Amino acid sequence: MRKRPPEAMSVDRTGDVPLDFRNEPPGPTKTAPLRPIEVLRPRFFDRCPICGDPATTEEHVPPQRLGGTKMTRTCDRCNHGFGSLVEADLVDWFDGALTMPSFQSDAVRGKRQTSRLLMRWTPNGEFVLFPEGPSDPAVSEILAAGDVTLEVSPPDENRLRLALLKSMYLAVCIKAGIPEGEPADRVRAELLAVRNAKRRADVPVSAIARGLTVLRHWGDPITEESVVLAEVQQETVPILGVLLAGRVFVSLSSTGGEAVPAPAGRLAHRLQVGASVKGTVASIRPEPPRQGRRNRPG
């Protein structure tokens, strides 16, 4: 994560200037050609493709916060169980967000919190943390002190990949029907272990999810379709997968068995904060989502 003091921004500090924020990090990026194969249309089952119980609720694939639409049905427990356990991490990763931020300095006693922080960059590559909602009023006083400690929780990679595994598996079901035998049984077992977890900290590590190939498109959506069967070319190897909401590619196969690092947990950073920058926010890409929808099903 790159952090630069606000004073490095090349803007006029004395006037009201347009500020433009985007969530694509600056610097070189690796690209992979993508070939769309087939747009998948909704397909509804009588039984839940994950657990086999009666399918009673419509499911967004991918989650609605990523741009998914109602593509199939699952049982109520599978629909709701993934929202706060793993899909919240996927949404934070997709939004470029850090959660549960707290600020501290010698100027104010104790830690003070804000809403989620969106990581954004200006066109000239300067790093910006953009509060999504209300903040403790004392945060401004802390920032004015200049020497600040920031603690945040980044998205957990294991959990966000499990959320993508769920979307990928449901896409396979939509395309070809509910699969039987191996490896589908192993995928369902890992998804059920997630659904049955008591809390986010209890979500088990998934070698299958960690072995998926996941690619992110930073520009405008490649397509407006929720789920597209597609193929990407990585080096000399074609990889078959699904393009979710025109922005995230997930492979249909997994390398599996890879070493899994321990969860990052809370991160603490020392920030040197310069003078404030006044301006009109011209754009924030992608636009921050509306509040109050973080843990809704599907």
Side-chain angles (χ1 to χ4, degrees), residues 84-101:
S84 60
L85 288 170
V86 296
E87 288 176 356
D89 286 276
L90 175 59
V91 169
D92 289 336
W93 170 77
F94 184 77
D95 290 345
L98 301 170
T99 60
M100 301 176 63

Side-chain angles (χ1 to χ4, degrees), residues 165 168-169 172 179-191 208 252-254:
L165 177 64
M168 181 273 280
Y169 169 74
V172 170
E180 302 295 339
E182 290 286 346
D185 289 344
R186 289 181 54 227
V187 172
R188 282 190 287 266
E190 299 217 358
L191 293 178
I208 295 177
L252 298 186
S253 60
S254 169

Side-chain angles (χ1 to χ4, degrees), residues 109-163:
R109 185 177 179 180
K111 299 179 180 179
R112 302 305 172 97
Q113 296 182 335
T114 70
S115 55
R116 285 198 317 168
L117 295 176
L118 303 179
M119 295 183 292
R120 296 294 184 264
W121 285 263
T122 62
N124 62 349
E126 304 306 326
F127 180 71
V128 178
L129 288 172
F130 192 89
E132 187 183 37
S135 302
D136 187 309
V139 169
S140 296
E141 186 177 348
I142 291 174
L143 294 175
D147 190 3
V148 179
T149 298
L150 169 65
E151 291 186 10
V152 294
S153 293
D156 181 87
E157 186 172 353
N158 177 62
R159 292 195 295 258
L160 73 86
R161 282 176 169 266
L162 277 163

Side-chain angles (χ1 to χ4, degrees), residues 50-69:
I50 297 173
C51 70
D53 287 347
T56 55
T57 60
E58 294 182 325
E59 177 97 31
H60 292 80
V61 182
Q64 189 176 16
R65 282 282 295 274
L66 268 68
T69 57

Side-chain angles (χ1 to χ4, degrees), residues 16-21 130 279-284:
D16 191 31
V17 297
L19 304 180
D20 180 43
F21 303 111
F130 192 89
T280 301
V281 176
S283 64
I284 305 171

Side-chain angles (χ1 to χ4, degrees), residues 18-293:
L19 304 180
D20 180 43
F21 303 111
R22 62 190 69 180
N23 72 332
E24 180 178 1
T29 57
K30 298 178 70 173
T31 61
L34 181 140
R35 180 176 69 89
I37 297 174
E38 179 185 355
V39 174
L40 300 189
R41 300 304 180 192
R43 182 173 185 174
F44 299 99
F45 302 99
D46 293 330
R47 62 187 178 96
C48 176
I50 297 173
C51 70
D53 287 347
T56 55
T57 60
E58 294 182 325
E59 177 97 31
H60 292 80
V61 182
Q64 189 176 16
R65 282 282 295 274
L66 268 68
T69 57
K70 294 175 181 177
M71 295 291 293
T72 190
R73 288 194 195 94
T74 56
C75 70
D76 185 74
R77 189 176 177 190
C78 284
N79 194 318
H80 288 78
F82 287 83
S84 60
L85 288 170
V86 296
E87 288 176 356
D89 286 276
L90 175 59
V91 169
D92 289 336
W93 170 77
F94 184 77
D95 290 345
L98 301 170
T99 60
M100 301 176 63
S102 66
F103 292 84
Q104 187 175 17
S105 76
D106 293 336
V108 176
R109 185 177 179 180
K111 299 179 180 179
R112 302 305 172 97
Q113 296 182 335
T114 70
S115 55
R116 285 198 317 168
L117 295 176
L118 303 179
M119 295 183 292
R120 296 294 184 264
W121 285 263
T122 62
N124 62 349
E126 304 306 326
F127 180 71
V128 178
L129 288 172
F130 192 89
E132 187 183 37
S135 302
D136 187 309
V139 169
S140 296
E141 186 177 348
I142 291 174
L143 294 175
D147 190 3
V148 179
T149 298
L150 169 65
E151 291 186 10
V152 294
S153 293
D156 181 87
E157 186 172 353
N158 177 62
R159 292 195 295 258
L160 73 86
R161 282 176 169 266
L162 277 163
L164 290 173
L165 177 64
K166 175 192 174 187
S167 289
M168 181 273 280
Y169 169 74
L170 290 177
V172 170
C173 296
I174 293 166
K175 166 61 180 172
I178 302 174
E180 302 295 339
E182 290 286 346
D185 289 344
R186 289 181 54 227
V187 172
R188 282 190 287 266
E190 299 217 358
L191 293 178
L192 286 174
V194 173
R195 188 201 69 176
N196 296 335
K198 300 290 186 183
R199 347 163 261 168
R200 297 173 73 193
D202 297 331
V203 171
V205 170
S206 169
I208 295 177
R210 288 301 303 248
L212 296 172
T213 297
V214 177
L215 304 174
R216 169 72 184 267
H217 176 66
W218 292 103
D220 293 332
I222 297 172
T223 174
E224 296 298 323
E225 304 292 346
S226 290
V227 186
V228 176
L229 187 67
E231 182 181 78
V232 298
Q233 190 78 22
Q234 278 207 321
E235 297 178 351
T236 60
V237 180
I239 301 176
L240 185 64
V242 288
L243 180 65
L244 303 173
R247 291 186 185 272
V248 180
F249 175 88
V250 183
S251 64
L252 298 186
S253 60
S254 169
T255 58
E258 294 185 345
V260 179
R266 295 284 285 176
L267 299 179
H269 299 278
R270 296 280 294 194
L271 306 179
Q272 292 297 322
V273 181
S276 63
V277 176
K278 295 178 63 177
T280 301
V281 176
S283 64
I284 305 171
R285 299 195 296 271
E287 196 169 321
R290 288 176 293 173
Q291 296 291 311
R293 294 173 56 187

